[in-house]
Structures are given as structure tokens and as C-alpha cells.
Amino acid sequence: MAWHGERVYEMRVLVTGGAGFIGSHVADACLGAGHVVAVVDDLSSGKTANLNSAAEFHQVDIRDEAALDRVFADFQPEAICHLAAKANVRESMAKPVLYAEVNIIGSLNLLELARRRGTRKIVYASTGGAVYGEPEYLPVDEKHPINPLDPYGASKHHVEHYLSLYQINHGLDYTVLRFPNVYGPRQDPYGEAGVVAIWTNQMLAGKTPQINGTGEQARDFCYVGDIARANVLALEAGSGAIYNLGTGVGTSINEVYALLKEATGFQGDGVHAPAKQGEVFKVYLDASAAARDLGWRPEVSLAEGLRRTVDYFREV
């Protein structure tokens, strides 16, 4: 515990990517847990509308070490929830250098500043959907071989190794959370990523959604509020460990389509298009280690989470 003004708080937490879809929910959850929060985001995909007014905001690109250092000097974070990243599988195939610059070099800037400025813990958002590649068995646990099929997955995994090195050599504590397919309010409905947001927006507008491939691709869909809660738990637990997050259940794209039709009242059928290069066909994650060590389990069912998402998009 420490004092800030007239109230007790738990930690000073810097949330990178905190104006983005998942990062803004993480910032909200940290504030809800009593932490003092600062957000770093370059607003390349994040939105000021997602920012919590109780958090400090710094518009900074994590590749800009000098600007980032000024944030560290001013805020003096005790912990970091690191979610800032380029995160589109298909874009990474076309722009692998950009993904290395932002996801690897940008993360190294954070690690170096954390080391120099005395930050004690980093919670790192990795990806369970992209680091493992095409699964050899399901559900995938943390011991599964790492065989990413795209530069996005490769860039996210590289940083996991650097985190281990910084703990061994500099005593910087960390927890890695490998995310499943995350959906919910604030997800961008206009990008290529986030099929739930894209389809919800199209269905509510009466437009015909596109289904890539057969639609039998399976993913582990997890509500964003559950993912945010895991980040808060990891601030104090899971030292030096890697955890999958997810439901342990694979849901096909066709099943999601059917559930969203029901939730939105949409009457049409989707149009099938060719499958996308670099995408895993089926992946879902064993999160039993997170349950054991972090006390984390998903609480929001897919049907309920989709209902909340549709309600959100009806209002915006």
C-alpha cells in the first residue's frame, strides 16, 4: 500500500495501449481495483473516447524512447500492463518490418526504461491465437511447441524471451498472458481484425457479412471484461510465468455468426470468400494454469458477451 493525496492505493500502473479496445478495459479494471493509472497510446488505432477520465493520458509512440522516458520520469510506474502493439495477422504479412519495430523494439524501449526507472513488474499481453501456429493437440496448453505462422505471432513471442532475460539479468518481474480471441464493447468494427465487432456492425446496418473460408475455423472467444480482470490479477501473481487465457472451448465462425444473427435480429445469410493467408484453422486454449495460479476463470458466457456487445453497438 502507498499514499496518494488523501487515499490509499495499491500501485502506480502504466497501461500502454490504454486507449485501445482491450487496453482501455484494462485501464478501467486497474482503476476499479484502486490503482493509480497512466495511459500511453499513440492513437494510431486507439481512441480518446475510450479513455477513462480518472487516468492520466500521454500520447506517445512506444518507439519514441525519449518521449517514453519523460512519462516514466513524471509518473514513476511501479508496474506496467503492456498492451500497445500492432495486432493484425493479415497486415503483419504485408508489413513485417513495421511489426518488428513496434512490437519488439517498442517493447525493448519499455523494458530498458523499466530497468532504469525502478519499475518492478510488467504484465505482458501476448497471443495464444498466433504464437502456437497450427495446433498439434487441443486445447493448447503452455507447453505446446511455438510455431507462429505470421510475423505478428513471431513478434509477440520474441518479447516473451526478452522478459525472461530482463528478469534473470536485472530482476524485473513479469507475467505473460497469452490472449485468446477477445471480443466486446469498443472493438473496432472497421478494421480487418475482430469478426464479432465487424459482423455486429454490419448486421445492425442491414449489410451482408463476409465469411472467410468455410466458416468452420474455430477460435476461443473470450469477453474483454474477463481479460481485463486477468491483467489486474497478474499484477500481484504469476511471477516469471506464462499463462494462457481462454475458455478451453473452440467455437466455429459459423456458430458465432448464428449467435449474432439471433442477438441482432438479422435475417440474411453471409457471403463466403476465400480463406486468408497465415491464419490458423482451429485453436483454443487450456487456461487451467491461470485458474490455479491467478485464480482466474472466464465468467461471461459467449451468448451473454455477444448480447452485451450488440447492446453497445446499438448505442454508439
Side-chain angles (χ1 to χ4, degrees):
M1 291 283 188
W3 287 94
H4 181 72
E6 296 300 318
R7 71 185 184 89
V8 176
Y9 72 93
E10 294 294 329
M11 252 185 283
R12 301 180 68 81
V13 182
L14 180 66
V15 180
T16 70
F21 162 46
I22 303 175
S24 64
H25 285 275
V26 171
D28 289 348
C30 288
L31 288 162
H35 301 309
V36 175
V37 173
V39 165
V40 160
D41 200 298
D42 68 356
L43 298 181
S44 59
S45 58
K47 300 174 182 176
T48 55
N50 293 339
L51 291 167
N52 192 308
S53 60
E56 290 183 20
F57 173 57
H58 303 268
Q59 186 173 347
V60 170
D61 188 320
I62 59 172
R63 291 172 291 181
D64 186 342
E65 185 178 6
L68 204 53
D69 189 33
R70 290 192 289 271
V71 175
F72 272 74
D74 176 60
F75 184 66
Q76 298 181 359
E78 297 164 83
I80 302 169
C81 289
H82 179 28
L83 296 101
K86 300 295 289 183
N88 187 314
V89 167
R90 293 191 283 276
E91 183 185 54
S92 78
M93 300 292 285
K95 300 178 179 180
V97 175
L98 174 65
Y99 273 66
E101 289 172 347
V102 176
N103 295 358
I104 300 175
I105 301 303
S107 295
L108 277 171
N109 285 339
L110 274 172
L111 289 172
E112 273 295 282
L113 290 171
R115 176 182 67 81
R116 297 204 301 261
R117 295 286 185 178
T119 302
R120 70 170 184 84
K121 178 70 181 276
I122 294 184
V123 178
Y124 174 61
S126 188
T127 167
V131 298
Y132 296 116
E134 203 63 62
E136 297 178 7
Y137 55 85
L138 291 166
V140 173
D141 59 22
E142 294 85 355
K143 296 179 181 178
H144 188 283
I146 301 295
N147 293 303
L149 299 179
D150 57 83
Y152 165 62
S155 69
K156 295 297 286 185
H157 179 63
H158 267 77
V159 179
E160 296 181 6
H161 290 288
Y162 281 108
L163 286 163
S164 178
L165 291 173
Y166 271 72
Q167 184 180 60
I168 292 167
N169 294 304
H170 306 298
L172 179 61
D173 193 12
Y174 73 92
T175 302
V176 171
L177 302 176
R178 289 178 178 162
F179 290 0
N181 272 56
V182 186
Y183 71 94
R186 304 180 195 159
Q187 192 166 26
D188 181 9
Y190 299 108
E192 287 193 54
V195 68
V196 170
I198 294 168
W199 284 353
T200 299
N201 194 55
Q202 291 172 338
M203 287 179 181
L204 290 175
K207 299 177 180 178
T208 301
Q210 177 177 293
I211 301 171
N212 295 322
T214 64
E216 288 307 304
Q217 308 96 299
R219 296 290 185 270
D220 194 334
F221 289 92
C222 197
Y223 186 68
V224 66
D226 284 328
I227 297 298
R229 184 166 45 84
N231 278 262
V232 174
L233 291 169
L235 287 170
E236 293 285 6
S239 176
I242 296 172
Y243 298 102
N244 288 339
L245 301 180
T247 65
V249 176
T251 303
S252 77
I253 300 301
N254 288 332
E255 289 176 82
V256 171
Y257 189 91
L259 286 168
L260 279 175
K261 279 184 66 174
E262 183 177 351
T264 60
F266 183 71
Q267 298 299 314
D269 293 321
V271 175
H272 285 269
K276 295 293 184 177
Q277 182 186 16
E279 289 193 332
V280 174
F281 188 66
K282 288 188 178 183
V283 61
Y284 45 98
L285 307 175
D286 179 347
S288 56
R292 180 191 68 230
D293 295 350
L294 305 181
W296 179 86
R297 292 175 179 80
E299 295 177 351
V300 179
S301 70
L302 181 57
E304 171 63 17
L306 292 177
R307 185 191 64 77
R308 294 184 190 182
T309 304
V310 169
D311 288 347
Y312 169 81
F313 277 100
R314 286 189 197 278
E315 296 298 321
V316 295

